[in-house]
Amino acid sequence: MTGFGEGLFNPTDAVINWARKNSLWPFFFGLSCCFVEEATAWGPRYDIARFGSEVFRGSPRQADVLIVSGTMFQKIAPVALRLYEQMSDPKWVISMGSCSNSGGMYDVYSVVQGSDQILPIDVYIPGCPPRPEAVFEGLMLLQKKIAAGEKPTRPVLHLPGGSQGGREDFLVDGATKCRDTRGPGYAGIPIRGTAATEPRFAGSRAEVMWTPPVPGLVLTAGQETLAADLAAVFGDDARLTDTVPTPGDMPTYVVAPARLPEVLAYLKEKAPTRFERLEDLTALDETARRVPAGHEATVVYTLTSMSAATMVRLTCPLPSRDSSLPTATGVWSCANWYEREAAEMFGLRFDGHPDPRRLLTHRDWIGHPLRKDYEGRATSRPAFTRADCERLEPVDAAEILGRRAAAGDYLLNFGPHHYATHGIIRYVLAMRGERVKAMGIDIGYHHRGVEKIGERQTWHQFIPYTDRVDYLSGIANNLSYVTAVEQLAGIAVPPRAAYARVMLSELFRLSNHLMYFGTFLQDLGMMSPIFYALREREMVLDIIETITGGRLHPAWLRLGGLAADLPEGWKEQVDAFVKIFPGRLKEYHAGVTRNPIVRARTKGVGGISGATAIDWGITGPNLRAAGVAWDRRKAMPYGAYADFDFDVPTREHGDCYDRYLVRMDEMAQSLRIIEQAAARMPGGRYLSDDARYCLPQKDATLRDIESLIHHFVNVTRGPRLPAGMAYAATEAPRGEQGYCVVSDGGCHAYRMRIRTPGFANVQALPLMIEGLSIADCVAVLASYDYILPDIDR
Amino acid sequence: MDMLLGVVVMLVKMAVVLGVALGLAAYMILLERKLLGRFQVRYGPNRVGYFGLLQPLADGLKMLLKEDIIPDGVDRRIFLVAPAVVAGTALAAFAVVPFGDGLTLFGHRVPQVVVDSNVGLLLVLALSSLAVYGLALGAWTSDNKYSLLGGIRGAAQMISYELALGLSLVPVVMHARSLSLSDIVAAQAGLPFALLEPVAFVIFIIGSLAETKRVPFDLPEAENELQAGFHTEYSGMRFALFFVGEYVNMVLLGAVTAIFFLGGWHGPFLPPIVWLALKVLAVPVFLIWTRASLPRLRYDQLMALGWKVLIPLALLNILVTGALLAAGV
């Protein structure tokens, strides 16, 4: 005999299931790129509200479904588990995107290879990232699962038996799941590429292939003067490098570690050419060089002179990877995070550093991930389990604030997961009432180890990873990377490709700034602009989709050109958009810019001076809002930008209002560039004919065998680039994004360093926020426009 | 016999008022979601039942059956009671709200109000003051930092704006010469007070926006700042009570605005109950509209607006009204 509610069909079950499936309120939880597409499902074109699921809940207590959208990092996994546990029953979990499903393309030390190792997943949505339509598919699958599979009557009545709330078990590697990328049973087949050695193929001719040397550098008059001056002041302690080949992108000096701060200070304040900004600071592990370097590690300082629009590189050879050298924080305060990162990634020590803690990895991390002998693949390391999650509880707030935490402070954890953090980053605010007295930042929750991955992917294979470094700027990321590699190998880009690159980068700038416009106002409490912004953003994405076939991550640039020619019909679409958009921009200004509350909330809030901004390495619209008219597209033009007519919008105060206005103006300027590019798009090749490094055009591979062979070789083994080093930065939507590619003459990078705008920008946040109220803090964060993988990489 | 009939009539009235208020609140949520959809160039709920009409039912049933979490470290009794205070006070205030002149049933005159109190206006204000306790205590006892911040904001905001709200009603009382809501409506048979006392009307609307914690005054639950604010730790039906309380409050606000300023059920051509319904709905729709179009004020700006603008203005308005009345204009 069966008890109440245990029969095959029970009307009570049906009613309860009906209510639950039609009222699935998602928890506001986003990890990375996928969340953008998840949030787009709220937008006008898709409108998840139709399903009654638009009620995002900020508190896990009130939510029904957790959509794990994005990469599950080891550092965030304990947080995700805790939030899941805080949700009230019944609760369901949807895993969205390849990363959450299996680790996806991020088979790397910091990423959990599947969130099902930690959480019970009910529905998997495939894709990288899945489109908003796929979010609906996942939601409807979950609805079906609830309606068909659950018998909630007995649990509701607190009787034993029945079922509700989906799965409850998590998976265990080796027992209930297989993390091996080759699939179960294929353990005997080698995985291509490891961290320390490049993929070697039996009898590969890449080893004996001749490549022309990297283009050398001819010093300009200013650079000659500087070299002479440095030689006079520092003698042999700061000399132009004599290694062969010499980097062709900028003068490179070898500096003795002991005199480093002195040289830096000299370059910043006294030299004939002043270098105002510390562009980047990173290190190299030299132990795996084909030709031994004679030392184990090199620290690299890249400086930019904004007055002379030139750059210089200082290298500091160290005898051992455990060596120490003096800190540069005395010269540039922003060296702080850079040095912490170099220290934890390579094991170096910086004497006199004010805060020598780990930066990106969690506190209990063992090893230095960017050392050549460190195993980079997660699948070659022990699985990250639920037990690890419980062991790695987040560190205490006072610890993050460090010495500045006083007894009796009201410490507020703002993140790692919060509406206003725009991703997973943790701020600790020491509050007095509503006022923020001190602010501490803990980053690394979104550390995807992409620099390590760069050391195992071939030059072309790495392009899709660049899309995801700033996941709202797609092709603008591709551009920074290919520009650096083309600089290294001396590849010329045909004009059609150069123009198309500019046009697409600007389209992405527009799409990014539209998202900014929406989220910024959302954080001021204005809920509608985001929907209008998403409507326009869809138009931009439609163009991008027509041209590239992708939305967020097109991976459409190639070394020397594009993946394909511009398709039929692209111009009509661009022209239509160029006609419509100025009117929409006017609407925005009418509805928002002139709103008195918007002005009251943003004017004079969180300002920063131009000089401070430069000193802290702040770049992009945030710098220009502070009155510094510096835009790499104008100051140091790259690609085809020199051919275009556009202005560099600036403002004075660097406060929230100015940061907002600069971006609004930039949208108008981007539109001008797009219009010009579309009107003057040259004909001709879309890929360089430099067959040594570049892919042949597709139609050629269908006609002649030589092209087909080149295509095959350059796709599978990848081109072999000359040994050398090149840095190239572009004006990405959020600021200056630079790639420092180091080649050892292999088919992939020896070191892939990414200088991101977010890293420098966010480090300076406490300057703007301390002393403001919590509402202002949110306004500053929202007006600042950072993105997490751009900070943590 | 009369007394028995009186009790029956009273019970019926209570049931009707309660039912209408709760039903309106539930569908107010749907209306808000639909309207927000339209304001934001999208549809809003339309899958559950025809035109999405069953959406509130699904949401309500789901909430009712969701786990009710009581976190460790909370003061259990207060934590459990707080949401009921918010919803309860809002519902109780409907007792003094009249819905018409009165009916004649079986030769008896039945007033269309649960209690026609001669201090109705004070009761409404008093009950809305009590609601602060639900919010502040619920937040305080949740043992959560975000709740606490929300609770402090809520308490400060509601106490401040209550003053402006109360003061804005003084001219109404001066004109009507009564605190009974029925009398106030009767006094507007000619001209609604909104036209007679536009300043008081504006202050009242702003004050009540703040009382209902709606944009631009939604600081206590400002999600972008405080995640879910004062109700962060509440789940299931207790959270739903806060939620329902907010929407009952919106309806209540519509009702009292209609009665204090818009002339109640008075109006040409249409039957009185239709006029009342239209006026009662006008305010929530206005609230939804503001939510769709305005950003949120900052805490100090909110306080400055309340103390430095609204309260002095309300006081001045009382003086002017008094002077005009004394002068016999």
Side-chain angles (χ1 to χ4, degrees):
Chain A
M1 188 181 155
T2 52
F4 177 67
E6 282 179 343
L8 273 178
F9 176 77
N10 181 324
T12 334
D13 283 342
V15 170
I16 298 175
N17 284 341
W18 170 83
R20 285 180 173 168
K21 85 182 172 89
N22 285 316
S23 177
L24 287 168
W25 291 1
F27 178 40
F28 188 92
F29 184 75
L31 292 175
S32 45
C33 334
C34 283
F35 185 71
V36 179
E37 288 294 59
E38 185 194 333
T40 308
W42 267 248
R45 181 179 290 181
Y46 306 99
D47 194 21
I48 203 169
R50 293 176 295 136
F51 299 85
S53 290
E54 87 275 32
V55 194
F56 254 140
R57 295 313 313 166
S59 165
R61 305 272 189 226
Q62 299 149 8
D64 305 298
V65 52
L66 177 73
I67 304 182
V68 183
S69 48
T71 318
M72 182 63 82
F73 304 91
Q74 290 193 15
K75 198 169 173 180
I76 200 73
V79 181
L81 178 60
R82 181 187 279 194
L83 288 168
Y84 171 74
E85 284 169 349
Q86 284 175 344
M87 287 169 69
S88 54
D89 281 327
K91 52 193 171 189
W92 297 270
V93 186
I94 294 177
S95 164
M96 179 182 177
S98 305
C99 286
S100 172
N101 294 344
S102 68
M105 56 197 275
Y106 290 97
D107 182 1
V108 74
Y109 56 90
S110 60
V111 174
V112 181
Q113 300 297 298
S115 42
D116 50 12
Q117 284 166 217
I118 296 159
L119 301 169
I121 307 286
D122 293 298
V123 172
Y124 295 86
I125 307 176
C128 187
R131 303 172 59 103
E133 292 94 331
V135 178
F136 291 152
E137 174 73 7
L139 187 73
M140 292 193 300
L141 278 173
L142 182 59
Q143 289 185 333
K144 275 184 200 150
K145 194 174 169 181
I146 292 171
E150 303 200 346
K151 299 194 164 298
T153 309
R154 291 184 66 87
V156 160
L157 297 172
H158 299 284
L159 296 170
S163 62
Q164 65 172 5
R167 286 173 76 138
E168 277 164 22
D169 57 327
F170 53 92
L171 304 183
V172 179
D173 180 49
T176 44
K177 73 172 279 190
C178 174
R179 285 186 311 154
D180 196 326
T181 46
R182 295 158 298 188
Y186 286 84
I189 294 173
I191 298 180
R192 280 184 63 188
T194 58
T197 54
E198 67 173 301
R200 280 166 211 274
F201 294 82
S204 167
R205 285 189 295 170
E207 298 301 314
V208 292
M209 234 169 81
W210 179 83
T211 50
V214 295
L217 180 73
V218 182
L219 295 188
T220 63
Q223 289 167 340
E224 293 272 12
T225 321
L226 182 72
D229 189 65
L230 277 179
V233 179
F234 294 99
D236 230 20
D237 285 343
R239 59 190 155 78
L240 272 174
T241 178
D242 48 6
T243 54
V244 182
T246 331
D249 53 348
M250 62 181 97
T252 303
Y253 292 87
V254 182
V255 179
R259 300 199 67 184
L260 189 85
E262 228 180 303
V263 178
L264 287 174
Y266 183 79
L267 286 171
K268 184 182 179 189
E269 277 146 17
K270 294 197 197 104
T273 314
R274 303 280 163 82
F275 292 84
E276 299 92 349
R277 182 204 288 165
L278 175 65
E279 178 99 2
D280 191 30
L281 190 171
T282 187
L284 284 166
D285 179 354
E286 306 278 10
T287 53
R289 289 278 192 187
R290 287 157 191 252
V291 185
H295 52 271
E296 279 194 357
T298 308
V299 182
V300 182
Y301 299 78
T302 314
L303 313 182
T304 304
S305 165
M306 295 166 74
S307 43
T310 181
M311 299 183 70
V312 69
R313 177 187 293 121
L314 308 182
T315 58
C316 208
L318 296 172
S320 141
R321 294 184 297 183
D322 303 315
S323 304
S324 63
L325 71 164
T327 175
T329 46
V331 187
W332 273 287
S333 320
C334 66
N336 190 323
W337 278 14
Y338 289 103
E339 287 181 355
R340 278 172 72 182
E341 189 193 358
E344 77 171 325
M345 288 296 163
F346 294 93
L348 303 169
R349 276 173 296 126
F350 290 87
D351 292 335
H353 191 284
D355 185 15
R357 286 177 298 152
R358 283 186 166 271
L359 183 69
L360 295 172
T361 51
H362 59 70
R363 191 178 45 178
D364 303 325
W365 198 270
I366 298 166
H368 305 289
L370 283 180
R371 283 192 174 182
K372 284 289 176 185
D373 48 8
Y374 189 88
E375 177 52 63
R377 279 186 189 272
T379 44
S380 307
R381 305 167 63 83
F384 187 86
T385 61
R386 181 96 155 206
D388 291 319
C389 249
E390 279 146 19
R391 187 169 53 81
L392 294 171
E393 279 294 287
V395 296
D396 192 63
E399 201 172 310
I400 289 168
L401 210 51
R403 279 168 299 170
R404 294 188 304 148
D409 274 348
Y410 188 79
L411 293 186
L412 190 67
N413 273 307
F414 203 83
H417 166 261
H418 185 286
Y419 265 117
T421 52
H422 294 253
I424 39 180
I425 183 169
R426 183 178 175 195
Y427 302 110
V428 172
L429 309 176
M431 311 282 299
R432 168 101 357 126
E434 287 262 327
R435 219 138 278 278
V436 180
K437 271 174 52 200
M439 180 187 193
I441 308 180
D442 185 24
I443 64 169
Y445 292 93
H446 205 296
H447 177 59
R448 277 204 281 221
V450 68
E451 293 183 2
K452 187 76 173 178
I453 292 173
E455 296 174 14
R456 69 164 192 243
Q457 305 295 110
T458 67
W459 296 102
H460 270 120
Q461 276 177 344
F462 187 67
I463 293 173
Y465 287 93
T466 65
D467 278 295
R468 289 155 179 83
V469 168
D470 175 346
Y471 51 67
L472 281 171
S473 311
I475 284 175
N477 294 289
N478 294 171
L479 184 60
S480 322
Y481 170 68
V482 296
T483 307
V485 178
E486 285 159 5
Q487 162 96 49
L488 176 70
I491 303 171
V493 182
R496 185 173 175 81
Y499 269 59
R501 285 175 173 190
V502 167
M503 185 176 80
L504 283 158
S505 300
E506 293 305 318
L507 280 169
F508 265 103
R509 188 185 313 276
L510 257 182
S511 128
N512 175 66
H513 285 8
L514 279 169
M515 205 66 169
Y516 166 86
F517 167 76
T519 51
F520 170 54
L521 291 154
Q522 175 111 59
D523 278 357
L524 294 181
M526 207 170 185
M527 69 181 302
S528 294
I530 181 84
F531 292 94
Y532 291 87
L534 281 174
R535 177 184 64 179
E536 269 71 270
R537 183 168 173 270
E538 284 299 319
M539 291 177 70
V540 178
L541 290 186
D542 280 346
I543 300 174
I544 288 165
E545 200 174 343
T546 302
I547 296 177
T548 69
R551 277 165 62 88
L552 286 196
H553 304 325
W556 201 60
L557 302 195
R558 297 288 181 271
L559 301 185
L562 315 171
D565 202 358
L566 294 170
E568 236 172 85
W570 69 271
K571 191 157 187 314
E572 290 72 22
Q573 241 176 312
V574 173
D575 288 346
F577 176 73
V578 168
K579 270 204 197 72
I580 293 173
F581 191 68
R584 300 282 164 88
L585 210 51
K586 229 180 253 168
E587 262 179 47
Y588 297 168
H589 282 298
V592 173
T593 316
R594 289 215 287 273
N595 185 308
I597 304 182
V598 171
R599 290 182 183 207
R601 282 291 310 275
T602 54
K603 267 194 171 172
V605 172
I608 189 166
S609 76
T612 319
I614 293 171
D615 199 44
W616 279 82
I618 294 176
T619 53
N622 293 332
L623 178 69
R624 292 189 284 276
V628 184
W630 169 270
D631 185 320
R632 259 191 202 262
R633 292 174 295 171
K634 277 267 191 233
M636 301 172 80
Y638 51 91
Y641 273 106
D643 296 357
F644 290 91
D645 177 28
F646 63 99
D647 300 325
V648 177
T650 55
R651 299 275 155 174
E652 280 165 46
H653 312 288
D655 56 11
C656 294
Y657 189 63
D658 285 354
R659 285 195 278 267
Y660 160 76
L661 285 180
V662 161
R663 287 177 173 88
M664 298 303 278
D665 294 345
E666 278 191 5
M667 283 203 250
Q669 296 303 325
S670 286
L671 201 68
R672 274 177 75 188
I673 300 178
I674 293 166
E675 196 177 359
Q676 293 170 41
R680 306 206 307 248
M681 184 64 66
R685 291 184 66 88
Y686 63 89
L687 261 170
S688 163
D689 53 6
D690 190 345
R692 188 185 302 279
Y693 304 124
C694 306
L695 303 178
Q697 294 195 162
K698 184 67 187 169
D699 52 342
T701 65
L702 300 177
R703 279 199 319 266
D704 55 88
I705 188 71
E706 285 301 319
S707 301
L708 191 60
I709 292 171
H710 273 300
H711 185 270
F712 180 77
V713 169
N714 278 350
V715 164
T716 52
R717 189 190 67 209
R720 176 169 183 238
L721 259 62
M725 181 182 213
Y727 178 89
T730 62
E731 189 71 40
R734 288 189 170 71
E736 285 164 45
Q737 188 189 47
Y739 276 78
C740 180
V741 289
V742 180
S743 166
D744 200 28
C747 299
H748 60 158
Y750 181 78
R751 167 93 171 94
M752 178 76 68
R753 165 66 184 174
I754 311 175
R755 187 271 177 204
T756 53
F759 191 75
N761 290 2
V762 166
Q763 191 181 183
L765 267 176
L767 295 181
M768 279 158 262
I769 287 177
E770 284 174 4
L772 298 180
S773 74
I774 188 162
D776 285 341
C777 162
V778 170
V780 173
L781 292 180
S783 74
Y784 209 57
D785 198 26
Y786 56 80
I787 191 163
L788 264 297
D790 184 57
I791 303 168
D792 296 341
R793 285 149 288 128
Chain B
M1 183 62 199
D2 264 7
M3 180 173 144
L4 196 63
L5 190 64
V7 169
V8 169
V9 168
M10 178 67 79
L11 284 177
V12 168
K13 280 199 285 194
M14 279 161 68
V16 168
V17 168
L18 208 62
V20 169
L22 280 175
L24 265 182
Y27 277 88
M28 199 56 71
I29 299 177
L30 182 64
L31 179 72
E32 166 150 43
R33 289 166 74 174
K34 283 285 204 187
L35 281 182
L36 281 181
R38 293 294 167 170
F39 284 128
Q40 295 161 354
V41 282
R42 52 189 182 86
Y43 287 110
N46 65 2
R47 292 289 166 111
V48 191
Y50 179 70
F51 200 61
L53 283 176
L54 295 180
Q55 190 68 51
L57 206 66
D59 288 335
L61 191 56
K62 176 205 77 175
M63 289 292 218
L64 198 65
L65 299 178
K66 214 150 155 67
E67 186 187 6
D68 178 19
I69 295 178
I70 303 165
D72 276 350
V74 303
D75 186 328
R76 218 183 139 82
R77 267 172 306 171
I78 301 178
F79 187 82
L80 297 185
V81 170
V85 172
V86 171
T89 49
L91 283 171
F94 272 101
V96 294
V97 175
F99 294 97
D101 274 332
L103 301 167
T104 310
L105 277 182
F106 313 114
H108 293 273
R109 210 186 127 63
V110 184
Q112 275 170 294
V113 54
V114 178
V115 189
D116 188 9
S117 166
N118 55 2
V119 288
L121 188 144
L122 288 183
L123 259 174
V124 170
L125 287 181
L127 283 168
S128 97
S129 313
L130 274 179
V132 183
Y133 286 97
L135 183 155
L137 290 177
W140 174 261
T141 185
S142 285
D143 196 23
N144 177 307
K145 292 183 178 181
Y146 284 103
S147 298
L148 182 61
L149 280 171
I152 294 171
R153 284 177 170 196
Q157 163 180 344
M158 290 171 84
I159 290 168
S160 308
Y161 276 73
E162 217 143 72
L163 290 174
L165 200 70
L167 290 174
S168 75
L169 288 177
V170 172
V172 169
V173 177
M174 288 160 83
H175 284 292
R177 294 169 187 276
S178 166
L179 293 168
S180 154
L181 272 53
S182 307
D183 293 347
I184 292 176
V185 174
Q188 299 177 75
L191 198 62
F193 287 156
L195 297 177
L196 204 59
E197 287 289 343
V199 179
F201 178 60
V202 170
I203 296 174
F204 181 81
I205 288 286
I206 297 178
S208 31
L209 266 173
E211 282 289 298
T212 43
K213 308 182 288 296
R214 304 272 306 177
V215 170
F217 304 106
D218 65 335
L219 278 78
E221 49 184 326
E223 53 193 30
N224 315 85
E225 293 159 29
L226 307 179
Q227 291 290 59
F230 66 93
H231 56 62
T232 301
E233 290 292 350
Y234 281 94
S235 58
M237 206 52 207
R238 276 177 225 288
F239 159 62
L241 274 179
F242 276 126
F243 212 66
V244 167
E246 183 185 328
Y247 284 86
V248 171
N249 233 325
M250 273 168 73
V251 181
L252 174 68
L253 192 69
V256 295
T257 313
I259 283 159
F260 291 150
F261 288 102
L262 301 178
W265 47 84
H266 294 303
F269 310 126
L270 298 171
I273 193 71
V274 176
W275 267 115
L276 186 70
L278 285 177
K279 289 172 182 175
V280 167
L281 277 180
V283 172
V285 169
F286 172 74
L287 293 185
I288 293 166
W289 196 349
T290 53
R291 182 172 176 205
S293 36
L294 287 184
R296 179 184 306 123
L297 285 169
R298 201 171 54 210
Y299 187 62
D300 55 314
Q301 293 167 340
L302 172 97
M303 285 295 150
L305 178 67
W307 289 98
K308 293 184 185 162
V309 180
L310 293 185
I311 292 177
L313 205 61
L315 286 171
L316 196 69
N317 192 34
I318 292 171
L319 286 179
V320 172
T321 307
L324 288 178
L325 282 177
V329 180

